[in-house]
């Protein structure tokens, strides 16, 4: 298989995690990662959405991933939270689509199961496995960033599986 670079995104209206992972001959390499924080973006919710879009666009331009993987909206505390989360996710999808990337969606339980072995894994368990799989000893990133990296790793795993099975 050819080397492939994937951006994983864990969307959120206050914190959107992102992580770029490159796979070369079956070996995963961390390219870059971070989190878009929107608290200081402005007073309006639209300002937060604009920050997510523009910050992700900068990352996409700098890292030039081949594909994108975005976590699906799982559940929210209430309808208003679910709507905001969905809008943040939509902005992330739009940023990736504007760069011409193919976008794959993954349910949080599938991401957790592919890395930890159970769909109900805690965030800390996912973060531990992400560090192991990317061969990172000390990571000072946020859990949102670990979740985004997990989405990218899950996508790469699914790509390998599809290539092996012909699906």
């Amino acid at each position: 298989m050819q080397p492939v670079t994937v951006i994983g995104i864990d969307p959120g209206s206050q914190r959107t995690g992102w992580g770029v992972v490159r796979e070369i001959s079956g070996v995963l390499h961390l390219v870059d990662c971070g989190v878009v924080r929107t608290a200081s973006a402005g007073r309006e919710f639209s300002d937060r959405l604009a920050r997510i879009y523009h910050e992700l666009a900068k990352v996409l331009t700098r890292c030039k991933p081949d594909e994108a993987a975005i976590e699906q909206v799982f559940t929210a505390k209430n309808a208003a939270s679910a709507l905001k989360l969905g809008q943040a996710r939509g902005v992330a999808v739009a940023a990736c689509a504007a760069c011409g990337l193919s976008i794959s969606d993954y349910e949080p339980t599938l991401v957790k199961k592919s890395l930890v072995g159970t769909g109900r894994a805690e965030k800390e368990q996912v973060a531990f496995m992400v560090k192991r799989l990317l061969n990172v000893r000390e990571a000072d990133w946020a859990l949102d960033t670990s979740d985004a990296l997990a989405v990218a790793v899950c996508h790469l795993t699914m790509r390998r599986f599809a290539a092996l099975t012909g699906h």
Side-chain angles (χ1 to χ4, degrees):
M1 289 178 72
Q2 293 289 337
V4 64
T5 304
V6 174
I7 183 168
I9 300 173
D10 177 33
S13 61
Q14 295 181 17
R15 292 175 312 277
T16 292
W18 59 270
V20 180
V21 178
R22 180 172 297 125
E23 181 179 26
I24 303 170
S25 300
V27 179
L28 302 175
H29 303 274
L30 174 64
V31 175
D32 200 0
C33 62
V35 64
V36 178
R37 297 181 193 281
T38 63
S40 63
R43 294 167 49 130
E44 300 297 323
F45 185 67
S46 58
D47 295 330
R48 289 177 177 228
L49 296 176
R51 159 93 35 94
I52 294 167
Y53 183 90
H54 291 299
E55 292 300 318
L56 287 177
K58 289 178 192 174
V59 170
L60 294 167
T61 299
R62 187 178 72 248
C63 295
K64 299 184 182 352
D66 302 306
E67 300 173 8
I70 303 177
E71 192 168 75
Q72 291 178 350
V73 174
F74 187 51
T75 57
K77 295 174 186 141
N78 58 48
S81 295
L83 183 59
K84 287 180 178 180
L85 183 57
Q87 289 174 325
R89 187 180 184 286
V91 167
V93 168
C96 293
C99 288
L101 299 179
S102 66
I103 303 164
S104 298
D105 299 318
Y106 294 97
E107 294 179 10
T109 53
L110 177 62
V111 173
K112 291 175 180 180
K113 190 170 188 171
S114 73
L115 269 79
V116 181
T118 176
R120 301 226 184 267
E122 298 293 326
K123 284 184 172 279
E124 292 77 12
Q125 290 174 296
V126 173
F128 175 83
M129 286 306 297
V130 165
K131 286 189 277 189
R132 288 288 208 172
L133 292 168
L134 295 176
N135 198 26
V136 174
R137 294 192 192 281
E138 296 296 321
D140 60 347
W141 57 58
L143 288 176
D144 300 293
T145 303
S146 288
D147 288 348
L149 288 165
V151 174
V153 171
C154 174
H155 177 70
L156 290 165
T157 301
M158 295 301 162
R159 282 179 100 258
R160 273 192 314 281
F161 180 74
L164 290 172
T165 61
H167 290 94

